[in-house]
Amino acid sequence: MNAKNERKHSRQHKGNGHESGGGHAEHAKMFRRKFWISLALSIPVLIYSPTLQDWLGFQAPAFPGSQWVTPLFSVAVFFYGGLPFLKMAVPELRRRQPGMMTLISLAILVSFIYSLATLVVEVGGAFFWELVTLIDVMLLGHWIEMRSVSQASRALDELAQLMPDTAERIRPDGETEEVPVSALEKDDIVLVRPGASIPADGEVKEGESEVNESMITGESKPVSKAPGDEVIGGTINGDGSLRVRVTATGEETALAGIMRLVEEAQKSKSNTQVLADRAAGWLFYAAVGVAIVTAIAWTVAAGFGVDVVKRVASVLVIACPHALGLAIPLVVAITTSMAASNGILVRDRLALERAREIDVVIFDKTGTLTKGEFGVVDMKTVAGWDEEEALALAASAEQDSEHSIARGIRQTAEERGLALRSLSDFEALKGRGVRATVDSRTVYVGGPRLLEMKSTSLPDTLRRFTEESSEKGQTVIYLLEETGEEEDVQVIAAFALADVIRPESEEVVRRLHEMGVEVAMLTGDSEAVARAVTDELAIDRYFAEVLPEHKDQKVIELQAQGKRVAMVGDGVNDAPALMRADIGIAIGSGTDVAIESAGIILVKSNPLDVVRVVNLSRASYRKMVENLIWATGYNVIALPLAAGVLAPIGILLSPAVGALLMSLSTVIVAINAQLLRRQDIVSIDNQ
């Protein structure tokens, strides 16, 4: 099976056992279907509604029985689209905690029963068109909410669907056999051909290639893989052939871990959603209370009659604002979309919501603020030597070395666009460095022990450079050249190497300071290294020489000072601190993404995404609160007017006008939520 057909086939496989979108996706489909069908059934109701005909100045075509169009279609909408809300209200009533479903059900039932009663007894205008529009808007709100929480699942299902159904397992005799991916076990060796999907998480044993990991990490550039490197199941192999030892299968793979995170995110509920439910509960009691007071007051004032029933019904119907059902789901949907498009995986919605309150962000140094790999951070040459020429010469001499320092020198030369020269007579000097011939020059690259071996001393300029670099905790490597005399050498350059600071780190610290957030750094490195990084990035405080098992104690120290702490780490040895912090933010790719100790995962490994998290949290919270104010503020005005508080001066809110106000409130909420998309979550002003 070629790679293209393989991926096509695997996409049809529904993600190797993961249901597409899970229960939320199915609910989203149900509410979508009910919304469109109910909307279609509502159109005749609206067309033949006397109130709307009067407002819009038109006359619907009359035919025998046309007077039954509105009630019959309304009954259909009630039973098809309204019953789900009545069923969802039952658990709230059983818990004696009325909320959104109870409030919706109250309005639906009252408007339905009252409207049917108008067909038999003359008690005033029916609420049929208010009934169907209420049901339609609530169905739309629930469709949006269910879709928002299942979007991440559907996206990750697409990733899971890239997993092949079969793998080529290498038998002990060296022959390959095609087996189902589910049959793979740890330590199996699989052959991954060019262009094929990697069937499981593993470690490269043989071969070199470039692997497309964009579906996991968001990094568009293929990642080079060689023996000893880790690969992720579901990623796509490039042009080389790889033999991979399986290290994780099934539910232990990175993709399965991400799926679990999404499931937890789906189950979580933000404080603002809880607030919306509470607001609905308060409105329920308020509506019932106002209805009782209305009934008593109007009965005492005018005696019990049709007007009393109409007033009470109006209060109960108007009490349910359409906008309250959309206030939070719309913002959640937009926030989810914005987070995903910026490489932010939200495991716990509460974590994203709490991010707006953070006082201090603690960054783990290695792999978070730094790249976790050596690089040349400074250099010095003797008189007559150009720095780039010296760096190119050192990198050329280190071409055949696999030492981390050698890789750091080569990587720095590559980043500066320096061409490497031809190499010959390479020799590794154990514990001291390397010797090689580069363009007919015999050169040495190594540390202090190389100087001891060659019995040479440093010029004053390089000695001062070494002392300054050592104070910063940096490793110093020297470039030596034979002068032509036997075994005689000259030191021509010194290179200071350290864990390279990410280019985004300075900006993230600056932006957090602008937002009023303190920045701290946590590291197991020496005091000198921690101080150097702190000074370079203008970090407020640091904790050095901290063991992994003690990192959470530093979080506790800050929390004891009344600080609300966010911990940003690589998600492995930082797990205790991530769990202890008010918000745990894991930065990293591959299997580290699937850790379960963080509430938020930064898939792109970009520390600047921490700023995006805080900004998105603040912006979305503002929108939620604004929408709740719009949605509930309507009731502050509508309920007293519906009850007839201003009736003595001739102001009385009819259900029709109340429905119009509800519609306006809904439109305002929808527009306000959409305005969130226009905000840049990196540069918006959150002060």
Side-chain angles (χ1 to χ4, degrees):
M1 181 184 295
N2 62 41
K4 182 177 180 180
N5 289 335
E6 180 181 275
R7 291 193 290 272
K8 179 180 178 182
H9 178 67
S10 62
R11 279 194 295 270
Q12 297 168 349
H13 188 58
K14 292 296 180 186
N16 289 313
H18 291 288
E19 287 186 16
S20 180
H24 288 86
E26 294 304 316
H27 279 85
K29 291 179 182 177
M30 180 195 75
F31 279 112
R32 180 184 63 186
R33 182 175 62 252
K34 286 185 175 294
F35 167 71
W36 287 115
I37 293 177
S38 296
L39 182 62
L41 293 173
S42 300
I43 293 175
V45 177
L46 299 177
I47 292 175
Y48 282 89
S49 167
T51 302
L52 292 183
Q53 289 184 40
D54 289 342
W55 283 356
L56 300 178
F58 75 95
Q59 185 70 38
F63 57 87
S66 60
Q67 72 273 21
W68 294 103
V69 169
T70 294
L72 289 178
F73 277 89
S74 297
V75 169
V77 172
F78 173 81
F79 282 103
Y80 182 73
L83 281 184
F85 296 106
L86 302 183
K87 293 177 181 178
M88 288 187 287
V90 173
E92 292 183 354
L93 294 174
R94 285 176 177 170
R95 295 193 305 267
R96 297 180 181 179
Q97 294 178 341
M100 184 70 72
M101 294 305 104
T102 308
L103 184 58
I104 295 172
S105 298
L106 176 65
I108 291 174
L109 275 175
V110 170
S111 57
F112 179 68
I113 294 172
Y114 178 85
S115 298
L116 289 182
T118 63
L119 300 177
V120 180
V121 182
E122 182 58 42
V123 291
F127 297 156
F128 284 124
W129 83 271
E130 293 92 339
L131 167 67
V132 298
T133 53
L134 173 60
I135 292 174
D136 291 342
V137 171
M138 292 306 165
L139 287 173
L140 175 61
H142 279 71
W143 171 26
I144 292 172
E145 182 177 12
M146 292 299 104
R147 185 181 64 176
S148 71
V149 296
S150 67
Q151 278 176 340
S153 282
R154 290 200 300 272
L156 291 169
D157 280 339
E158 290 298 320
L159 301 184
Q161 288 166 8
L162 292 175
M163 294 284 281
D165 295 321
T166 60
E168 290 190 69
R169 183 167 58 190
I170 300 177
R171 299 198 303 254
D173 61 7
E175 297 295 322
T176 61
E177 59 179 348
E178 189 172 287
V179 298
V181 169
S182 59
L184 291 178
E185 298 179 355
K186 286 185 179 179
D187 296 324
D188 280 348
I189 304 297
V190 295
L191 173 64
V192 184
R193 299 184 185 277
S197 296
I198 296 173
D201 292 0
E203 177 187 349
V204 177
K205 301 302 292 182
E206 294 181 32
E208 294 185 1
S209 184
E210 292 190 333
V211 176
N212 181 356
E213 297 182 343
S214 60
M215 63 287 295
I216 298 292
T217 66
E219 175 58 56
S220 59
K221 184 180 179 181
V223 181
S224 297
K225 299 293 180 181
D229 291 336
E230 294 181 349
V231 292
I232 307 170
T235 55
I236 310 300
N237 187 23
D239 296 332
S241 179
L242 298 176
R243 280 172 169 75
V244 176
R245 179 178 66 84
V246 175
T247 58
T249 61
E251 293 301 310
E252 297 178 356
T253 62
L255 279 175
I258 295 174
M259 294 298 292
R260 286 194 297 274
L261 294 183
V262 174
E263 289 172 3
E264 292 181 16
Q266 291 173 342
K267 295 175 184 176
S268 70
K269 202 171 194 178
S270 74
N271 283 332
T272 321
Q273 283 182 297
V274 172
L275 178 60
D277 287 338
R278 288 178 180 173
W282 298 332
L283 283 176
F284 171 80
Y285 288 118
V288 173
V290 172
I292 293 174
V293 171
T294 300
I296 295 173
W298 278 83
T299 299
V300 171
F304 184 79
V306 171
D307 286 340
V308 175
V309 176
K310 184 176 181 180
R311 283 296 102 216
V312 171
S314 298
V315 167
L316 294 176
V317 172
I318 289 174
C320 181
H322 298 51
L324 191 58
L326 288 174
I328 302 306
L330 276 173
V331 177
V332 169
I334 295 169
T335 302
T336 302
S337 173
M338 293 178 69
S341 64
N342 283 278
I344 300 169
L345 177 61
V346 180
R347 176 190 177 213
D348 181 4
R349 294 188 212 171
L350 284 174
L352 180 60
E353 188 168 309
R354 286 196 300 266
R356 64 187 174 84
E357 302 173 335
I358 288 301
D359 299 313
V360 56
V361 176
I362 304 177
F363 287 95
D364 176 62
K365 181 186 79 70
T366 305
T368 303
L369 292 175
T370 66
K371 293 183 178 180
E373 57 187 34
F374 270 112
V376 177
V377 295
D378 199 2
M379 67 180 74
K380 190 74 173 180
T381 60
V382 296
W385 275 84
D386 177 71
E387 288 188 353
E388 292 200 344
E389 181 184 357
L391 179 59
L393 190 60
S396 299
E398 295 278 22
Q399 286 182 75
D400 288 355
S401 175
E402 288 302 320
H403 195 280
S404 59
I405 289 178
R407 287 197 297 269
I409 293 175
R410 292 198 305 268
Q411 179 67 27
T412 304
E414 180 182 333
E415 290 173 354
R416 296 193 178 198
L418 304 179
L420 302 187
R421 287 85 178 272
S422 60
L423 172 72
S424 62
D425 300 328
F426 176 85
E427 180 185 0
L429 307 175
K430 187 174 182 180
R432 292 175 172 83
V434 301
R435 173 188 177 278
T437 300
V438 180
D439 287 347
S440 302
R441 291 175 170 177
T442 301
V443 297
Y444 298 81
V445 181
R449 294 187 64 187
L450 175 63
L451 300 181
E452 293 175 5
M453 185 185 81
K454 302 304 293 182
S455 301
T456 188
S457 59
L458 293 172
D460 288 343
T461 54
L462 298 188
R463 179 176 51 78
R464 287 193 297 270
F465 175 81
T466 299
E467 292 172 353
E468 292 170 0
S469 299
S470 297
E471 288 178 359
K472 298 177 182 178
Q474 297 166 348
T475 301
V476 181
I477 299 297
Y478 305 101
L479 172 65
L480 291 69
E481 182 186 21
E482 288 189 358
T483 60
E485 301 178 14
E486 185 177 356
E487 296 291 325
D488 192 19
V489 296
Q490 176 191 10
V491 184
I492 57 179
F495 306 99
L497 289 95
D499 190 359
V500 180
I501 294 176
R502 292 176 181 269
E504 310 92 352
S505 296
E506 183 177 356
E507 185 178 3
V508 70
V509 173
R510 178 178 60 81
R511 286 184 178 273
L512 287 172
H513 283 160
E514 290 173 353
M515 297 163 64
V517 178
E518 183 182 348
V519 180
M521 185 182 73
L522 195 61
T523 179
D525 283 342
S526 67
E527 184 85 11
V529 172
R531 186 169 56 251
V533 175
T534 297
D535 292 343
E536 183 171 349
L537 296 179
I539 291 173
D540 299 297
R541 67 173 79 185
Y542 66 87
F543 304 98
E545 301 178 7
V546 182
L547 296 174
E549 58 268 29
H550 296 155
K551 288 184 176 181
D552 64 326
Q553 296 302 315
K554 302 304 178 183
V555 175
I556 294 174
E557 286 180 22
L558 291 175
Q559 290 174 328
Q561 300 172 18
K563 305 281 189 181
R564 285 161 293 192
V565 180
M567 173 67 195
V568 186
D570 63 11
V572 181
N573 58 9
D574 300 316
L578 287 167
M579 296 180 70
R580 180 72 66 179
D582 297 283
I583 301 173
I585 303 176
I587 183 170
S589 58
T591 55
D592 288 352
V593 177
I595 56 101
E596 298 184 0
S597 52
I600 298 173
I601 317 297
L602 308 183
V603 180
K604 295 180 179 179
S605 305
N606 185 352
L608 191 58
D609 285 342
V610 175
V611 177
R612 293 186 172 95
V613 168
V614 178
N615 278 348
L616 184 59
S617 174
R618 293 179 177 182
S620 63
Y621 185 79
R622 280 200 306 272
K623 288 301 176 186
M624 288 180 180
V625 172
E626 289 169 5
N627 278 359
L628 284 177
I629 291 173
W630 277 110
T632 56
Y634 148 85
N635 285 86
V636 175
I637 299 173
L639 277 179
L641 293 180
V645 171
L646 299 182
I649 60 174
I651 299 176
L652 194 62
L653 184 67
S654 69
V657 175
L660 179 61
L661 292 177
M662 280 194 290
S663 299
L664 290 175
S665 177
T666 303
V667 171
I668 292 172
V669 164
I671 293 174
N672 190 48
Q674 291 297 329
L675 290 176
L676 182 61
R677 295 186 185 276
R678 304 183 63 174
Q679 296 183 326
D680 183 345
I681 63 171
V682 174
S683 61
I684 58 175
D685 179 13
N686 285 281
Q687 302 302 321

